[in-house]
Amino acid sequence: MLSKRVIACLDVRDGRLAKSVRFVDTRDIGDPVEKAREYYLDGLDELVFYDITASSDRRRIMLDVVEAVAAQVFIPLSVGGGVRSVADATDLRLAGAEKINVNSAAVARPALIAECADAIGNQNVVLSMDVRSVEPSTTCPSGYEIVINGGRRPMGIDAIAWALEGERLGAGELVVNSIDADGTREGYAIDLTARVAEAVRIPVIASGGAGLPEHLYEVLTAGKADAALVASMVHYGDYRISGLKSYLHERGLKMRMSW
Amino acid sequence: MAIIIDYDAGNLRSVQRACREVGLEAAITADPDAVRRADRIIFPGVGAAGPAMRSIAARGIDAALREAIARGVPTLGICLGMQISLDYSEENDTTTLGLIPGRVRRFRFESRALKIPHMGWNEVRVTRPHPLLADVRPGDEFYFVHGYYPEPARPEEVFAVSDYEIEFASALGRDNYFGMQCHPEKSGRVGLSVLARFAEWNGTC
């Protein structure tokens, strides 16, 4: 059977590593290539780079980072942030990304998901959704709403409906990022993750809120996630990838334990 | 010269990079003459069997590959590149190369708990020793992404199996041909070990 995956997310701004807390203030925490290599050697199952560069020459910088990482990290590498077209996706793939994450641009123009799926294969298209909880309404009956632009812009789209639409359009995997939980280190949004995972048949990656090893256990069991995304809890050295995996393994989850 | 066959079947540079990591320089090529001249061939690929076979036929790669394999050139098939070495694939109802007797079937599950494609890390259990799997230990996992799986007709051509509700062949081969369903280029140290062994393989097993 498949192992549960631990995925590290590295936010990259201007070629350097940054970690956002509730999507505001970011601070530089190092060289993404070095960090990626360190995690790879420590048993990481998959790596996600998220480009949060604002500058206009962003794409070249990011392609260089991806290229450098792909030359020394031999696990699946997923890249997102600002992917607006098949050309963006193809460039990142040639630089060495396995999977491409689409987010805001897919909300604005859902056909982007299908176009990318046709060009690079469903299994390589990851739909990343930023979600906040709201009062259930006719537009958002689940009580979860899609937001874009780093959480600043509510879209009036129900998160469960969007997950199903993304699957229908050809996304091979979903990242469910709770902006309520993001950066808090108080635990993943369990109910949200479980509801998305129950609605779709593609793998779900839980994101936002990891602070303790038990948070990963919770979201991989009660939250029904296939993979747990971690960021600040490993970036600042509080926990190691290998330590998290050993903990989950000891609690009975199937994990990849030799690397 | 080692080559990686390019037939519009996905991104081949990750295979090339992983080969480089283990000291194997391999050129990416779609030229059938380069396939004929190669002394080591990697036949990778993701995508669908139908378009892949059409692309191979249109470029004349099928004949060149058959000749090379018949001549004893060490050849490694990966994922779709392995699947089309069998006789037939249910994917697009495709007649494939027929290098290894058997067929490729689609995963069919009643249970909603099992997702298709089979994507992620799973154990590859060696069932028959093979030089390319010499460094694979019990419990070692590889990275998989596939919705179809190979079903070789001859048990003696299966070298490793994996479980995804059913048990399927995750490594198969005969003589100088070896194929894996998983992606050694994305499978960390153990995956690189297969490529390192391939770089030095003389084509016997």
Side-chain angles (χ1 to χ4, degrees):
Chain A
M1 294 306 298
L2 287 173
S3 291
K4 297 286 188 183
R5 285 172 279 160
V6 174
I7 302 177
C9 182
L10 301 173
D11 286 346
V12 178
R13 190 175 51 187
D14 302 320
R16 299 286 294 172
L17 204 49
K19 172 59 197 151
S20 63
V21 177
R22 285 205 174 95
F23 283 114
V24 272
D25 296 338
T26 56
R27 59 175 172 135
D28 189 302
I29 52 171
D31 175 11
V33 182
E34 206 176 287
K35 210 70 172 167
R37 178 81 181 166
E38 174 195 326
Y39 293 161
Y40 163 65
L41 293 175
D42 198 32
L44 187 69
D45 298 313
E46 193 164 326
L47 188 62
V48 180
F49 275 112
Y50 224 79
D51 187 7
I52 56 171
T53 307
S55 60
S56 53
D57 53 352
R58 56 181 301 160
R59 294 193 50 213
R60 189 62 253 166
I61 298 172
M62 195 58 191
L63 292 172
D64 289 344
V65 170
V66 171
E67 192 113 28
V69 170
Q72 41 181 302
V73 169
F74 301 98
I75 52 174
L77 170 60
S78 179
V79 181
V83 175
R84 289 185 179 80
S85 65
V86 168
D88 291 344
T90 309
D91 287 349
L92 287 166
R93 290 260 301 159
L94 280 175
E98 193 76 8
K99 304 179 186 179
I100 302 301
N101 286 49
V102 293
N103 190 338
S104 301
V107 178
R109 198 174 66 82
L112 176 64
I113 300 170
E115 290 164 15
C116 287
D118 278 347
I120 64 172
N122 296 41
Q123 72 279 3
N124 294 321
V125 179
V126 182
L127 175 60
S128 192
M129 344 189 315
D130 292 335
V131 182
R132 67 165 188 176
S133 34
V134 291
E135 279 302 310
S137 64
T138 40
T139 46
C140 295
S142 70
Y144 292 109
E145 181 182 23
I146 296 294
V147 295
I148 63 166
N149 294 345
R152 285 186 294 272
R153 194 165 148 209
M155 296 303 289
I157 298 169
D158 186 273
I160 306 296
W162 178 233
L164 286 165
E165 177 69 355
E167 178 181 37
R168 189 186 67 78
L169 288 168
E173 209 164 36
L174 296 176
V175 173
V176 180
N177 185 43
S178 163
I179 65 152
D180 303 318
D182 185 67
T184 64
R185 306 183 72 164
E186 287 165 6
Y188 294 93
I190 301 298
D191 176 68
L192 165 66
T193 311
R195 284 174 68 182
V196 173
E198 280 163 4
V200 299
R201 290 203 69 180
I202 52 181
V204 168
I205 301 167
S207 164
L212 297 170
E214 37 279 46
H215 294 155
L216 279 78
Y217 180 78
E218 233 185 338
V219 85
L220 293 170
T221 52
K224 301 187 157 62
D226 298 278
L229 201 121
V230 293
S232 50
M233 70 184 296
V234 292
H235 297 339
Y236 298 118
D238 300 329
Y239 294 95
R240 293 186 49 161
I241 300 293
S242 53
L244 293 174
K245 291 182 66 168
S246 298
Y247 167 84
L248 295 166
H249 179 68
E250 279 157 23
R251 289 202 64 179
L253 297 187
K254 185 171 184 300
M255 307 298 296
R256 177 175 70 110
M257 292 311 296
S258 61
W259 52 81
Chain B
M1 163 119 195
I3 60 150
I4 297 168
I5 299 182
D6 178 9
Y7 57 105
D8 292 334
N11 182 10
L12 311 180
R13 289 178 63 193
S14 57
V15 176
Q16 190 180 37
R17 283 190 195 90
C19 287
R20 185 166 295 148
E21 177 74 5
V22 301
L24 179 64
E25 283 301 326
I28 296 174
T29 179
D31 175 8
D33 289 331
V35 176
R36 286 191 180 86
R37 287 193 304 270
D39 58 25
R40 211 165 286 279
I41 297 172
I42 298 179
F43 193 32
V46 292
M53 282 305 294
R54 282 196 294 280
S55 170
I56 288 166
R59 293 162 197 248
I61 291 172
D62 48 350
L65 186 63
R66 274 179 222 285
E67 282 172 36
I69 291 175
R71 225 173 51 239
V73 176
T75 302
L76 173 65
I78 298 174
C79 196
L80 179 66
M82 175 278 289
Q83 291 186 353
I84 59 183
S85 70
L86 285 85
D87 297 317
Y88 170 81
S89 174
E90 287 182 359
E91 189 175 30
N92 318 119
D93 185 23
T94 308
T95 300
T96 46
L97 294 171
L99 303 166
I100 299 279
R103 49 204 283 134
V104 171
R105 308 189 55 179
R106 181 165 173 71
F107 282 121
R108 286 187 184 83
F109 302 128
E110 296 302 317
S111 158
R112 277 182 67 86
L114 282 174
K115 296 172 178 182
I116 301 172
H118 170 231
M119 175 162 67
W121 295 85
N122 202 340
E123 190 178 348
V124 167
R125 226 164 41 246
V126 178
T127 51
R128 185 180 301 270
H130 189 284
L132 299 201
L133 301 178
D135 303 313
V136 181
R137 302 282 167 258
D140 279 349
E141 298 188 11
F142 285 73
Y143 189 74
F144 288 84
V145 186
H146 61 123
Y148 294 76
Y149 63 94
E151 201 176 65
R154 300 180 185 150
E156 67 271 25
E157 291 176 351
V158 176
F159 289 91
V161 295
S162 298
D163 292 312
Y164 196 52
E165 186 164 284
I166 56 162
E167 183 183 278
F168 65 93
S170 43
L172 51 82
R174 179 206 295 175
D175 303 332
N176 53 311
Y177 177 83
F178 186 76
M180 291 196 94
Q181 179 56 66
C182 45
H183 290 270
E185 76 278 14
K186 287 285 163 190
S187 297
R189 179 196 48 79
V190 70
L192 294 177
S193 82
V194 172
L195 297 175
R197 293 277 179 178
F198 175 71
E200 301 187 335
W201 187 36
N202 64 8
T204 61
C205 58

